[in-house]
Amino acid sequence: MRRMFGSIVGFIALAFLIEALTLVPNVIAQTFPSRSISWLIGSSPGGGGDTSSRRLAQRMAKDMRVPIVIKNVPGGGGVIAHTTVWRSRPDGHTVGMYYTQPMITAESFYKVEYRTVDFEWIGNFVDAVYLLCVTKDSPFKSFADMRNSKKPVRIAVNDLTSNSSITMMALSELAGFPITFVSGLGGAAPAVVAALRGEADAVIFGALLFPFIQRGDLIPLIAFSDERLPQFPAVPTIVELGYPELRLIGRLDYVLFAPPGTPRERTRVIQDALLKATREEDKWLRENFFFPDPVPGDELRKAVVEQFNLFKKYIPLVEKYRKPPGR
Amino acid sequence: MVEALISSAETLSNPGVLGIILLGTIIGIIFGILPGLSGIQGLALMMPFTFGWEPVTAMFFYAGIMGSVSEGGSIPAILINTPGSAINAATCFDGYPMAQRGEAGRALGLAAVSSTGGALFGVLILVLLIPAVRPIVLAFGSPEFFWLVFLGLTTIAFVASRNFVKGLISGGLGIMISMIGLSPVFTELRYTGESKYLWDGVEMVPFYIGLFALSELITYTAQGGTIAAVAEGLETLRLSQVYQGGKEVFRYPLTFFRGSGIGTLIGIVPGVGGVVANFLSYTTAVQTSKHPELFGTGHPEGIIASESANDAKDGGSLLPTVAFGIPGSAEMAVLLGAFMLHGLVPGPLLLRDHLPEVMALILGLIISNVLAGLFLFFAARYLAIITFIPVYFISPVVAVLVFVGAFALRGNIWDVFLALGAGIFGFFFRRAGFSIVALAIGYILGVLAEKAFHQSLMSSLGSYSIFFTRPISLVLILLLVLLLTLPFVRAREGTSK
């Protein structure tokens, strides 16, 4: 009798325990987020990533019912911010936002603590679409002209380890035409002005080139995208020209990530809010020359790995260009 | 453009607009007064607060900050020999000796009128040149930029005229310090060791605050007494002294207009900055004066040359900013970020699509400079009291401002250590007879010169002829030769007489 009573009590206790354990994820989900979320950006206030982050974070904060605090942590091209996220407690209350390409190049060229592919990827919200453009007075009227050039084609870029530079190095290798860079220009507008002055033959940047194209200062030759852009239907894509892997240059422009080990059920909460906010702000994003591309975390991780492998393949080319021409 | 400006002026009838400009002006003056902080930090720190504002309102606010920072910076330059920001450095040369004579009010009056006048000159040129901005900005390429920065670097020779060799060493050391960090053109890390802190180079604000403010603080604390060494003391503080200083600007119209012209022109060339304008204007005034020996002793022309140039550059630097989306100065780079925050896409269509916002910037600059000038003018005699307070009371306040300013920039404690280290280094450096001004010029301009040099060679595919075959480059080389040879020619003329 005593034994049966003990068994029944034990069974009931076990049942309660199992029930309690199944409730725990719900409890966790219901208590996350339990306080404000820190959203670290590895650049100073005011850039495209900062602006769009603040816009989306406002909406997400309403959905998630906690404040989302944007913190600008400039320095080292984002390395300081990414290292801070890498070291943060993986409880979902600290996330980072940046572009994947400089994260990859920093890891490839310099000693950094983090490993890009090992972050917990929450979601992508904006893609860039890169365009290779020439001025209206340029002797190059098409990519074929450029490919047939005997003299090095001078490309205006931000710096030699940027995604646009590495993509052009790859294109030069694959298509077999010589290039050189006019580097350190500090942005799309100075690069365009360098081209207009005749100091460069071409520029390769994202949507910040659009106003110059609309004004007639620049003519796009290639769109680094899967499909032709509705704004420029006559411009061939890099896929059509036979170099499909190079379309990854602009993908994953603004991504959200968390420290490694952050529970997936927590990143999913943030992911859902992010993707919803991206869809709701679609009109504003497009008006400001962003290309909304909401991609959830699992798919994002695969894309990051693909992009990482692409850059790793072509990054060794950078050393070839790291000296002044003529030497 | 003038019609658009006049019609936009109607917005000023709204007291809220004037209030926003006034708020920006007060913030700008505060950032200007605090050593090492400048319009860059003012704009960057205030920007997040403007999220959600109407773009026109935000532009008035930003213009308020930008227009008054330089005038605020002249105050510590004159009173405690510590420029509020790098662009006020040359003001110290004659402003501080004037304050030491008990004429701080006169110096501040000179600064107030020169600054306001220079700013209005720059804005006037901006409005007149906007229709023609494109060919002007396109005319200055990397080679021209290199020669302009090189001209700025040659001012090292004049700044350190007491000991030429030590001056060159100081400038050279500054250039070497500017090379630390990621190379802007080849993206190689230089002289950083394993430090992430040095990745972006020696951070300007804490370095600058330490080098100037802290080293000067150690110097005058060690000396004791008061900054102004006059028997009459506080009796010299009268509005009439300030008024006398303000009137004196009109006695030197050539110096004023030349300084304003240099400032505006330097502002138009993107990336050169107020430091070059400041020193170039001062150096030119020295070289072309009939009495160059008076400069550095508290001569009014020194203040006029410096302050008119560094305020005129604001109007000039707006030109490439609004016309192309290229920052004409470091403040404009932050302003471009602010444009994006408020949905204004920088670029060639900004003037077409957002003319009211651009007009707000221009109007705001005008009003802010006038307000800051009035503040400086009427507050001068009260500010000048600082020069009669024993330094033991001033030093702790300045020290707190230095360390708070260094930390406030990025919340990084290493910035505070950098400021401290730079301050101690600066103190001993000066005692050994070297020039921290020459070091600062080298530090600010060194990497700019390197960038322009390499970019010129990249665009010419390695040919050095690019530096010597362009018309504007040749004019700049000629100016450089004139600037360097004029003292010798004068010395020879003096000997033969």
Side-chain angles (χ1 to χ4, degrees):
Chain A
M1 192 66 181
R2 212 181 277 165
R3 244 186 242 157
M4 198 192 321
F5 180 72
S7 299
I8 291 168
V9 167
F11 178 74
I12 292 169
L14 188 61
F16 269 117
L17 185 63
I18 291 169
E19 185 63 28
L21 282 171
T22 59
L23 278 173
V24 163
N26 288 338
V27 169
I28 289 175
Q30 283 162 12
T31 58
F32 175 78
S34 56
R35 51 187 166 82
S36 64
I37 292 179
S38 295
W39 178 311
L40 273 59
I41 301 178
S43 58
S44 303
D50 180 76
T51 317
S52 50
S53 291
R54 290 174 191 276
R55 190 91 185 183
L56 295 184
Q58 259 189 343
R59 280 203 185 260
M60 288 169 67
K62 281 189 197 139
D63 249 353
M64 298 172 72
R65 298 200 188 132
V66 291
I68 297 182
V69 180
I70 304 280
K71 290 183 184 171
N72 297 94
V73 186
V79 167
I80 295 177
H82 307 150
T83 307
T84 307
V85 175
W86 179 262
R87 288 179 188 164
S88 297
R89 192 188 296 187
D91 59 7
H93 289 98
T94 303
V95 298
M97 192 292 297
Y98 214 58
Y99 330 76
T100 47
Q101 310 92 356
M103 296 173 76
I104 297 170
T105 51
E107 185 186 332
S108 307
F109 285 105
Y110 315 112
K111 265 192 198 169
V112 299
E113 218 172 289
Y114 64 82
R115 282 190 304 283
T116 310
V117 296
D118 289 341
F119 280 107
E120 290 300 331
W121 297 98
I122 299 173
N124 178 70
F125 53 101
V126 154
D127 272 352
V129 176
Y130 278 69
L131 293 163
L132 179 68
C133 297
V134 295
T135 61
K136 59 180 191 295
D137 303 322
S138 169
F140 305 119
K141 303 298 176 203
S142 68
F143 178 60
D145 291 342
M146 207 177 263
R147 207 169 40 201
N148 294 331
S149 171
K150 298 284 182 282
K151 274 174 45 177
V153 180
R154 300 166 304 168
I155 315 284
V157 293
N158 248 349
D159 67 67
L160 290 180
T161 58
S162 65
N163 49 332
S164 46
S165 307
I166 293 172
T167 301
M168 283 310 300
M169 292 174 198
L171 185 59
S172 162
E173 284 292 303
L174 293 169
F177 68 102
I179 61 169
T180 187
F181 292 99
V182 182
S183 159
L185 288 163
V192 171
V193 172
L196 291 173
R197 285 190 192 122
E199 293 175 355
D201 299 309
V203 297
I204 172 167
F205 274 93
L208 287 173
L209 293 184
F210 283 27
F212 294 99
I213 299 172
Q214 284 171 7
R215 206 183 174 284
D217 288 326
L218 295 179
I219 298 169
L221 294 187
I222 305 175
F224 289 82
S225 57
D226 291 319
E227 290 165 2
R228 291 204 177 196
L229 300 177
Q231 299 92 334
F232 312 112
V235 178
T237 67
I238 194 69
V239 175
E240 289 173 44
L241 291 172
Y243 312 102
E245 64 178 352
L246 299 185
R247 82 198 186 290
L248 289 176
I249 172 185
R251 287 230 51 221
L252 315 175
D253 214 36
Y254 298 155
V255 293
L256 209 59
F257 52 95
T262 306
R264 192 73 190 104
E265 56 270 18
R266 292 193 176 192
T267 59
R268 201 166 282 132
V269 171
I270 307 173
Q271 169 196 289
D272 292 344
L274 174 71
L275 300 185
K276 182 166 173 267
T278 306
R279 284 188 288 271
E280 286 168 353
E281 290 289 351
D282 188 276
K283 183 167 178 282
W284 180 88
L285 288 167
R286 287 183 193 280
E287 277 170 1
N288 286 279
F289 297 110
F290 298 115
F291 288 84
D293 183 21
V295 174
D298 294 327
E299 211 179 302
L300 174 60
R301 186 167 199 289
K302 284 187 210 147
V304 169
V305 171
E306 192 186 351
Q307 196 178 59
F308 184 84
N309 291 333
L310 172 74
F311 278 100
K312 275 294 216 190
K313 189 171 151 191
Y314 292 110
I315 269 170
L317 293 173
V318 171
E319 288 309 317
K320 183 175 150 189
Y321 295 94
R322 253 188 177 155
K323 55 184 186 302
R327 290 188 197 172
Chain B
M1 191 58 56
V2 176
E3 295 84 11
L5 194 62
I6 292 169
S7 69
S8 289
E10 290 168 4
T11 54
L12 295 175
S13 60
N14 181 345
V17 167
L18 285 175
I20 276 290
I21 297 174
L22 181 62
L23 178 62
T25 304
I26 292 169
I27 291 171
I29 290 175
I30 291 171
F31 273 87
I33 286 176
L34 294 173
L37 298 183
S38 68
I40 304 168
Q41 289 77 39
L43 287 170
L45 286 170
M46 292 297 121
M47 211 189 310
F49 294 105
T50 66
F51 189 64
W53 288 17
E54 284 295 317
V56 169
T57 309
M59 294 305 128
F60 275 126
F61 180 62
Y62 297 138
I65 296 174
M66 285 189 315
S68 53
V69 163
S70 166
E71 279 164 272
S74 64
I75 297 170
I78 289 167
L79 298 181
I80 57 171
N81 199 28
T82 301
S85 54
I87 60 172
N88 299 104
T91 307
C92 296
F93 300 156
D94 284 283
Y96 187 60
M98 214 180 260
Q100 286 180 309
R101 287 204 302 259
E103 294 177 325
R106 181 182 168 213
L108 290 169
L110 278 159
V113 174
S114 308
S115 296
T116 307
L120 293 177
F121 181 94
V123 170
L124 176 66
I125 301 298
L126 162 71
V127 169
L128 293 174
L129 283 187
I130 277 181
V133 64
R134 227 178 126 85
I136 296 170
V137 171
L138 290 180
F140 278 85
S142 298
E144 287 76 31
F145 186 90
F146 171 76
W147 286 118
L148 213 44
V149 173
F150 199 79
L151 254 178
L153 280 169
T154 57
T155 60
I156 287 173
F158 301 104
V159 147
S161 55
R162 289 212 184 95
N163 190 317
F164 189 64
V165 172
K166 282 188 170 175
L168 285 183
I169 292 172
S170 306
L173 184 61
I175 292 173
M176 284 170 62
I177 294 173
S178 78
M179 301 287 167
I180 295 172
L182 204 60
S183 146
V185 176
F186 299 110
T187 53
E188 288 166 313
L189 279 174
R190 301 186 292 203
Y191 317 118
T192 60
E194 299 287 322
S195 167
K196 297 284 178 297
Y197 178 73
L198 292 175
W199 195 297
D200 293 318
V202 173
E203 187 62 33
M204 195 190 91
V205 168
F207 179 67
Y208 191 80
I209 292 177
L211 194 67
F212 281 93
L214 206 53
S215 68
E216 183 64 29
L217 181 152
I218 299 171
T219 304
Y220 58 67
T221 307
Q223 283 167 0
T226 60
I227 289 168
V230 287
E232 296 88 347
L234 287 165
E235 290 161 25
T236 61
L237 291 175
R238 283 183 223 103
L239 187 60
S240 57
Q241 195 190 68
V242 181
Y243 183 64
Q244 178 203 349
K247 256 188 3 175
E248 266 186 289
V249 177
F250 299 96
R251 282 179 47 200
Y252 302 97
L254 184 60
T255 307
F256 169 76
F257 283 112
R258 185 179 50 227
S260 301
I262 288 173
T264 308
L265 178 66
I266 301 277
I268 291 173
V269 181
V272 180
V275 172
V276 174
N278 192 241
F279 280 105
L280 206 53
S281 175
Y282 186 86
T283 309
T284 315
V286 173
Q287 297 310 327
T288 53
S289 170
K290 288 184 184 142
H291 300 283
E293 71 283 358
L294 291 177
F295 284 78
T297 64
H299 187 50
E301 277 192 273
I303 299 174
I304 296 168
S306 164
E307 286 296 313
S308 58
N310 66 25
D311 277 84
K313 71 123 184 53
D314 286 336
S317 61
L318 256 183
L319 261 171
T321 308
V322 300
F324 281 103
I326 304 176
S329 64
E331 285 91 351
M332 295 299 154
V334 183
L335 189 68
L336 283 176
F339 283 168
M340 293 189 70
L341 194 69
H342 295 283
L344 280 55
V345 179
L349 303 178
L350 187 73
L351 277 171
R352 186 195 76 179
D353 298 339
H354 298 286
L355 193 58
E357 286 83 359
V358 175
M359 289 300 114
L361 265 177
I362 295 174
L363 274 176
L365 263 184
I366 295 172
I367 306 289
S368 167
N369 271 282
V370 170
L371 286 175
L374 286 172
F375 165 79
L376 194 57
F377 199 84
F378 289 106
R381 62 180 162 148
Y382 303 109
L383 292 168
I385 290 174
I386 292 172
T387 57
F388 294 97
I389 298 174
V391 293
Y392 300 120
F393 294 108
I394 301 174
S395 303
V397 175
V398 173
V400 165
L401 288 174
V402 161
F403 293 122
V404 167
F407 185 76
L409 179 71
R410 303 187 291 182
N412 189 332
I413 193 66
W414 286 101
D415 286 341
V416 178
F417 294 137
L418 173 62
L420 181 61
I424 295 170
F425 166 79
F427 172 69
F428 288 109
F429 201 63
R430 285 155 85 154
R431 268 180 70 138
F434 293 92
S435 167
I436 59 168
V437 174
L439 188 148
I441 296 172
Y443 163 74
I444 289 167
L445 299 183
V447 77
L448 291 183
E450 182 207 4
K451 208 163 82 160
F453 180 77
H454 283 303
Q455 283 167 351
S456 301
L457 284 182
M458 282 169 157
S459 64
S460 68
L461 298 178
S463 169
Y464 286 87
S465 64
I466 194 172
F467 292 107
F468 305 105
T469 51
R470 293 155 67 104
I472 297 179
S473 291
L474 291 173
V475 169
L476 290 170
I477 294 171
L478 191 63
L479 274 173
L480 183 64
V481 169
L482 272 173
L483 213 55
L484 289 173
T485 55
L486 207 54
F488 299 104
V489 168
R490 283 221 167 129
R492 261 185 105 171
E493 277 176 0
T495 312
S496 61
K497 275 181 189 164

